Amino acid sequence: RHAGRTNISPYRGEEQRVKVMHNLQYYFSKVEKYQKLIFTLGFLYGAAIVFPDFGPILLRVVGGKHTVFMGIFAMFFLAFSIYPKIGVLSKTELHKNYLPILGILSLILTSIFALVPPVLQYLSLGMFAFVIGRTTVFWSKAFLEKVPPRSRGQVIGSSLFIAYGILYLSNAAVPSLPPFLVPSIGGILLFASICTYYSLFKENSDCTKKYLPHSASLSPPFKLYILFLCVYITAGFTYVGVYPLFSSYIIERFYNVLPFVFSAITAGIIADRKGRKYLLYIGIALLGLSFTLYSFTLNILTYFLIQTLLQSGWAFLDVFVWVIAADIAVQKNNSYYYTYGIASMVAGVALGAFLSVVVKQLDGIQSFPISLMAYLPLFIAVALLGLIPETLPKKPDLSELIEIENLDIPIIEKLTPREKEIAVLLYKKLSNKEICELLCISNNTLKTHLRNLYHKAGVSNRKELRELFIEFLK
């Protein structure tokens, strides 16, 4: 019996190692497949959070209270610029060079930002936020067309990993750089995002409905928008009311967003494996714990706990917003539902920051009322939880199905890539209609593939094909 235990233990350890390696390979295959899409949003989001959205660049150039007011102005401008549909503001948006021209203009504006008076700085900041917003609208349409439901969380999580990695490096480096130079970093990031977008999305997909989830009776989108607005009012409070209190800690410059960077990856995986609402539960719970600790005496220990919980909580909620809004947009077959959700999130941050400034102006207001007011939107969000649907579809997509190439079946080498995909879907007991929808092919095309597949496998129907797979799987 002792020898039996020693033999089993290494086997189980090896099994766990293989499972971990398989999961890592699966994740990095997603990153590789959608890498340009990921970098587009990563650079775009990074440009927003390092410059206009209370970022280290704005703090380095402007400093003081003006940073808060300019940040609020930019956030409101960004929210409004995300909302309009493509072509509504101007017919020139339909021109292929529209975004590159705006990107070049942003490079020029950021290069002179530190040299112009405050009035022109506000104008430059508004224009910069406008370009970010319009690029977000273009990117969102491509994202919805190209990314299946069970890959969206990992794509968004990877994008936020890049964006907040950029913010982390900026927090560490920008305070040491000359003020006249640092705004150009934001312009370069934005221009890089536009260039990456155009390198991949020159052609439009001709099958925008192939990843349409089949969920029953989803709630109207406006419930989600209210939830986003409420939750991100709390984000505005944390930007203006909480983060400034951490500036006295030297370690803040090097630790600030580090928990967010790694939590974003975890949140994306959970969103695709377990469900979208898990992110909401975890995010709100982490924020609640962080605000509870914020009511205690602030020291180095509570700082680490608060910042870790706070940043991790926002990572989970950020991924939740980007992913569930995408699910709703695809289900409603309207890509603008996606951008409306993102605009609600940004507007919530701006509104929360504005309310925080108002509260701070009142005599006798200290950190505890700020913390209390930050709780209120979370309570509203908890009350709305029951109205929010779980939008992760239960129907599998191709990326989750078994890799039949690894099975020792002689016929595998004879099959074309499309026939292999169909064989796997037949093994998973999907109907002809579901296969056509998932692969975006017609029923006649599927019948042709089935005829060839059965001939190569030496079977006459799908039941016999499944039995053949089962024998080799045993």
Side-chain angles (χ1 to χ4, degrees):
R1 284 183 296 179
H2 177 74
R5 285 197 298 269
T6 56
N7 289 334
I8 291 173
S9 180
Y11 172 77
R12 287 179 177 173
E14 179 66 17
E15 188 179 50
Q16 289 296 321
R17 188 188 70 81
V18 170
K19 186 176 181 181
V20 170
M21 291 301 297
H22 175 74
N23 289 334
L24 287 175
Q25 290 174 356
Y26 174 76
Y27 174 77
F28 283 114
S29 68
K30 292 291 184 68
V31 173
E32 183 179 5
K33 184 175 182 179
Y34 303 110
Q35 56 182 319
K36 289 190 176 181
L37 199 157
I38 290 169
F39 277 104
T40 299
L41 181 60
F43 292 149
L44 184 65
Y45 207 131
I49 58 180
V50 301
F51 188 20
D53 300 353
F54 314 104
I57 292 176
L58 196 61
L59 184 63
R60 181 74 176 108
V61 177
V62 179
K65 293 183 179 179
H66 289 292
T67 302
V68 176
F69 292 124
M70 283 189 173
I72 293 173
F73 169 79
M75 293 292 286
F76 275 121
F77 212 93
L78 177 58
F80 287 123
S81 65
I82 293 174
Y83 189 81
K85 299 178 180 179
I86 296 174
V88 171
L89 296 177
S90 173
K91 296 300 181 184
T92 57
E93 287 194 321
L94 302 177
H95 194 276
K96 63 179 181 179
N97 294 324
Y98 172 73
L99 286 180
I101 292 172
L102 288 184
I104 293 172
L105 180 60
S106 298
L107 282 174
I108 297 172
L109 291 174
T110 53
S111 65
I112 62 173
F113 181 81
L115 307 176
V116 299
V119 175
L120 292 180
Q121 286 182 339
Y122 272 95
L123 181 62
S124 299
L125 210 59
M127 186 63 194
F128 191 80
F130 174 82
V131 179
I132 291 175
R134 300 318 290 161
T135 308
T136 301
V137 177
F138 280 87
W139 175 90
S140 65
K141 292 176 70 66
F143 173 78
L144 294 174
E145 289 178 5
K146 294 179 179 295
V147 183
R150 289 185 179 270
S151 297
R152 289 177 192 146
Q154 291 164 87
V155 170
I156 294 298
S158 301
S159 300
L160 297 188
F161 174 84
I162 292 172
Y164 279 83
I166 291 170
L167 178 59
Y168 176 77
L169 296 175
S170 298
N171 283 336
V174 164
S176 304
L177 298 176
F180 71 89
L181 181 63
V182 290
S184 299
I185 297 173
I188 293 170
L189 286 171
L190 181 51
F191 189 72
S193 174
I194 293 173
C195 291
T196 308
Y197 171 86
Y198 269 90
S199 70
L200 184 61
F201 302 129
K202 292 179 181 178
E203 312 88 16
N204 292 322
S205 171
D206 59 352
C207 187
T208 60
K209 297 181 180 179
K210 64 179 178 180
Y211 297 126
L212 194 66
H214 291 272
S215 298
S217 63
L218 289 175
S219 302
F222 74 85
K223 295 178 181 179
L224 278 179
Y225 303 156
I226 294 173
L227 176 70
F228 298 162
L229 187 70
C230 291
V231 169
Y232 278 84
I233 287 174
T234 299
F237 274 107
T238 58
Y239 277 126
V240 178
V242 177
Y243 288 155
L245 298 179
F246 296 153
S247 59
S248 60
Y249 293 97
I250 298 176
I251 194 66
E252 163 70 1
R253 181 174 164 185
F254 302 98
Y255 187 71
N256 185 357
V257 296
L258 203 56
F260 191 113
V261 171
F262 295 103
S263 296
I265 297 290
T266 305
I269 294 173
I270 291 175
D272 289 341
R273 295 287 184 89
K274 299 296 182 181
R276 317 310 197 199
K277 292 185 74 172
Y278 280 92
L279 306 186
L280 190 59
Y281 299 144
I282 296 171
I284 290 179
L286 292 174
L287 290 184
L289 288 172
S290 68
F291 287 129
T292 300
L293 290 171
Y294 179 62
S295 302
F296 291 88
T297 302
L298 190 62
N299 53 47
I300 190 65
L301 177 60
T302 54
Y303 160 76
F304 272 110
L305 290 174
I306 292 171
Q307 194 66 293
T308 301
L309 294 170
L310 199 64
Q311 293 291 343
S312 300
W314 285 124
F316 276 87
L317 289 175
D318 273 19
V319 175
F320 169 77
V321 170
W322 284 85
V323 174
I324 197 172
D327 293 344
I328 295 292
V330 174
Q331 192 275 336
K332 298 292 185 181
N333 196 26
N334 188 337
S335 64
Y336 294 107
Y337 285 156
Y338 191 27
T339 52
Y340 296 164
I342 299 169
S344 300
M345 174 182 69
V346 177
V349 176
L351 182 59
F354 175 76
L355 292 175
S356 183
V357 170
V358 172
V359 170
K360 279 190 165 186
Q361 296 302 314
L362 301 178
D363 293 333
I365 295 295
Q366 302 297 326
S367 62
F368 179 74
I370 293 285
S371 178
L372 181 62
M373 292 190 69
Y375 272 120
L376 296 179
L378 295 184
F379 292 149
I380 297 173
V382 171
L384 292 172
L385 284 178
L387 302 176
I388 306 304
E390 175 52 68
T391 58
L392 181 67
K394 294 182 179 180
K395 187 176 69 174
D397 63 69
L398 293 179
S399 61
E400 294 183 298
L401 302 177
I402 61 170
E403 298 177 0
I404 63 173
E405 292 90 344
N406 295 332
L407 297 179
D408 187 20
I409 305 178
I411 67 162
I412 294 300
E413 297 179 357
K414 302 178 183 179
L415 301 182
T416 66
R418 178 62 86 190
E419 288 168 354
K420 290 178 181 178
E421 292 174 344
I422 293 172
V424 174
L425 294 173
L426 291 174
Y427 173 78
K428 288 290 185 177
K429 295 185 178 181
L430 269 68
S431 67
N432 283 8
K433 182 180 178 181
E434 290 174 325
I435 295 173
C436 290
E437 192 173 286
L438 195 61
L439 299 180
C440 198
I441 59 178
S442 68
N443 190 50
N444 289 334
T445 302
L446 176 61
K447 288 181 179 178
T448 302
H449 285 307
L450 289 175
R451 195 161 49 244
N452 296 334
L453 177 59
Y454 294 157
H455 175 72
K456 292 176 182 179
V459 297
S460 58
N461 54 51
R462 66 177 62 205
K463 181 181 178 182
E464 292 179 5
L465 184 69
R466 288 194 75 255
E467 291 174 351
L468 177 66
F469 279 134
I470 289 171
E471 285 299 317
F472 281 95
L473 283 170
K474 287 179 181 179

